[in-house]
Amino acid sequence: MSTETTETTETSQAATSAAVEATTRTTADAFLAATAARDTARLTELFADEVDWLLAENPVVPWIRPRRTGAECATQAEDLARYTVAEDARASVDTYLVTGQDAIIMGHLSGTVRATGKSFEGPFALRLTVEGGRITRHHLYENSLSVAAACTP
């Protein structure tokens, strides 16, 4: 293989990698905006038909349940709104990394459970994987103990 061919191949691979990361960032940005706006229609567009969804099951937290389809995943924002006080919801992003098809978003969240009036707070980490401009993986890690305590009367 000639030096020119190697350089062309490396340039092409770098351009492809940059395009993949740009798509991942654009999709993750749209996800964050749609989540903040509780825009279920937009979230449904962003999620793939089937999603690798991970959020530790917690039987006392009504908005946490298994989800698999894009439509089920998109309704998580609606479920959260139904069970928490919107005015008390806070989320901040401290770290936002994009590498290839993955976006890693870390920060802090807090809120108040409507039924109990109790608050929850803690750090979170979210891993999104984007393929073809749609989210195929949504793994969320949060302070589930604080959330469960806030949901318990």
Side-chain angles (χ1 to χ4, degrees), residues 59-62 113-118 147-153:
V60 299
V61 182
V113 176
R114 189 180 309 278
T116 65
K118 295 181 182 180
V147 177
C151 288
T152 304

Side-chain angles (χ1 to χ4, degrees), residues 12-26 98 100-101 130 133:
S12 176
Q13 288 172 343
T16 300
S17 179
V20 167
E21 287 188 0
T23 298
T24 300
R25 181 171 297 279
T26 298
V98 174
Q101 295 179 309
V130 175

